[in-house]
């Protein structure tokens, strides 16, 4: 079952913990600016660093220093063994730092738009879980869930090889429950698929190939903000 709605956000009583995984080899200036501008909306912002493509650089200090001004919790992921799923390990570790009524799982390539927060408040009054869908997938770029409901799942956020992507099993468990899953309308946010991969390709000296025109606009916007010199050089050369 699905539900859409309208409402308003009461920012006087933040009851959401934001949880996000962050590859150590990248920085996301627009997302960091979003956190700065919206920090009062959250009880905690929890960033967990993951060691993906770590040979391309380690920007943990730069990111942590910048986010510390907004009281953001930054932690390293645990060691991931061959049989483990890196994202499942990361999300479960981050959840140990969370104690709010709601959790927002999100990604740096999700950009809220329009009356996003207006409608989020109304969803929170009417359902216990809601998120942004891409086709039939409840996408981890934007999922809000009550901690009480989250704790009734197995908290398995990993992939099922050749069957399900990250958060796929989690979605299946929710769909088996007698609950409504709210659907955030697509006009309330943009998910920039391929953003991290495009930046990684720049680091490798290759040409980004996923929606390059949109990516160029993203780079231009990043250059208007405080940015690490490495990425300033990459983005200027690209645009």
């Amino acid at each position: 079952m699905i539900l859409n709605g309208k409402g308003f956000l009461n920012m006087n009583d933040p009851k959401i913990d934001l949880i996000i995984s962050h590859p150590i080899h990248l920085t996301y200036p627009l997302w960091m600016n979003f956190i700065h501008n919206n920090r009062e909306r959250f009880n905690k912002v929890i960033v967990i660093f993951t060691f993906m493509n770590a040979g391309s650089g380690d920007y943990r200090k730069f990111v942590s220093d910048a986010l510390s001004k907004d009281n953001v919790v930054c932690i390293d992921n645990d060691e991931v063994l061959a049989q483990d799923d890196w994202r499942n390990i990361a999300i479960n570790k981050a959840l140990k730092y969370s104690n709010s009524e709601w959790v927002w799982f999100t990604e740096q390539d999700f950009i809220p738009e329009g009356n996003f927060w207006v409608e989020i408040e109304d969803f929170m009054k009417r359902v216990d879980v809601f998120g942004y869908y891409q086709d039939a997938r409840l996408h981890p770029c934007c999922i809000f869930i009550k901690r009480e409901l989250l704790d009734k799942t197995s908290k398995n956020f990993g992939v099922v090889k050749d069957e399900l992507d990250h958060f796929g099993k989690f979605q299946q468990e929710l769909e088996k429950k007698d609950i409504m899953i709210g659907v955030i309308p697509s006009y309330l946010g943009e998910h920039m698929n391929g953003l991290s991969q495009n930046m990684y390709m720049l680091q490798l000296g290759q040409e980004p190939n996923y929606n390059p025109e949109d990516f160029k606009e993203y780079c231009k916007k990043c250059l208007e903000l405080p940015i690490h010199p490495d990425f300033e050089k990459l983005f200027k050369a690209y645009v």
Side-chain angles (χ1 to χ4, degrees):
M1 303 175 69
I2 63 176
L3 186 68
N4 293 321
K6 297 179 180 179
F8 60 93
L9 182 68
N10 177 7
M11 297 195 308
N12 295 322
D13 183 25
K15 51 190 174 183
I16 305 170
D17 286 343
L18 184 159
I19 290 180
I20 192 165
S21 58
H22 195 302
I24 70 169
H25 69 289
L26 297 175
T27 70
Y28 301 89
L30 292 189
W31 178 78
M32 293 166 71
N33 189 57
F34 167 81
I35 293 299
H36 177 72
N37 291 335
N38 291 272
R39 182 61 183 87
E40 74 280 1
R41 300 184 187 275
F42 312 110
N43 178 30
K44 292 182 180 179
V45 176
I46 303 164
V47 173
I48 183 156
F49 289 116
T50 57
F51 298 82
M52 310 291 293
N53 301 318
S56 298
D58 184 346
Y59 296 96
R60 280 177 292 176
K61 186 178 188 308
F62 176 83
V63 173
S64 297
D65 287 350
L67 293 176
S68 67
K69 301 171 186 175
D70 291 309
N71 193 29
V72 172
V73 177
C74 292
I75 54 178
D76 288 340
N77 197 15
D78 290 336
E79 181 181 3
V80 179
L81 303 177
Q83 69 270 21
D84 295 329
D85 183 285
W86 66 269
R87 194 164 189 179
N88 184 49
I89 299 293
I91 296 300
N92 275 285
K93 181 171 184 178
L95 281 170
K96 295 177 182 178
Y97 292 79
S98 170
N99 59 0
S100 291
E101 180 183 356
W102 285 84
V103 174
W104 182 26
F105 299 116
T106 187
E107 297 174 343
Q108 294 88 347
D109 58 4
F110 179 76
I111 303 171
E113 296 180 340
N115 291 326
F116 181 80
W117 292 112
V118 172
E119 301 212 22
I120 293 307
E121 175 67 14
D122 190 63
F123 275 119
M124 292 171 67
K125 294 175 182 176
R126 298 193 286 138
V127 291
D128 291 343
V129 58
F130 56 96
Y132 188 88
Y133 276 78
Q134 285 190 196
D135 298 321
R137 183 187 183 194
L138 179 59
H139 203 285
C141 71
C142 183
I143 300 174
F144 289 84
I145 185 168
K146 264 192 174 181
R147 185 60 186 257
E148 182 180 6
L149 174 59
L150 174 63
D151 287 341
K152 293 178 181 177
T153 72
S154 66
K155 291 186 247 185
N156 184 340
F157 307 101
V159 301
V160 177
K161 187 176 180 181
D162 300 325
E163 293 184 30
L164 298 170
D165 208 336
H166 286 118
F167 280 70
K169 185 172 180 58
F170 178 68
Q171 178 180 349
Q172 283 188 340
E173 290 185 26
L174 291 173
E175 289 174 343
K176 290 178 181 178
K177 298 181 180 294
D178 185 22
I179 58 173
M180 289 184 177
I181 301 178
V183 178
I184 295 176
S186 59
Y187 59 79
L188 289 179
E190 178 186 3
H191 182 215
M192 291 191 66
N193 289 292
L195 175 61
S196 296
Q197 182 62 22
N198 277 346
M199 287 197 285
Y200 181 52
M201 293 179 75
L202 281 183
Q203 290 178 315
L204 296 178
Q206 300 175 6
E207 188 74 11
N209 58 11
Y210 197 96
N211 290 338
E213 290 307 313
D214 289 344
F215 180 56
K216 282 188 177 180
E217 288 303 310
Y218 174 87
C219 293
K220 290 177 182 177
K221 291 178 181 178
C222 287
L223 289 170
E224 298 173 0
L225 298 168
I227 186 172
H228 191 283
D230 292 353
F231 289 92
E232 181 180 20
K233 182 178 179 179
L234 285 174
F235 290 168
K236 281 185 175 179
Y238 179 61
V239 302

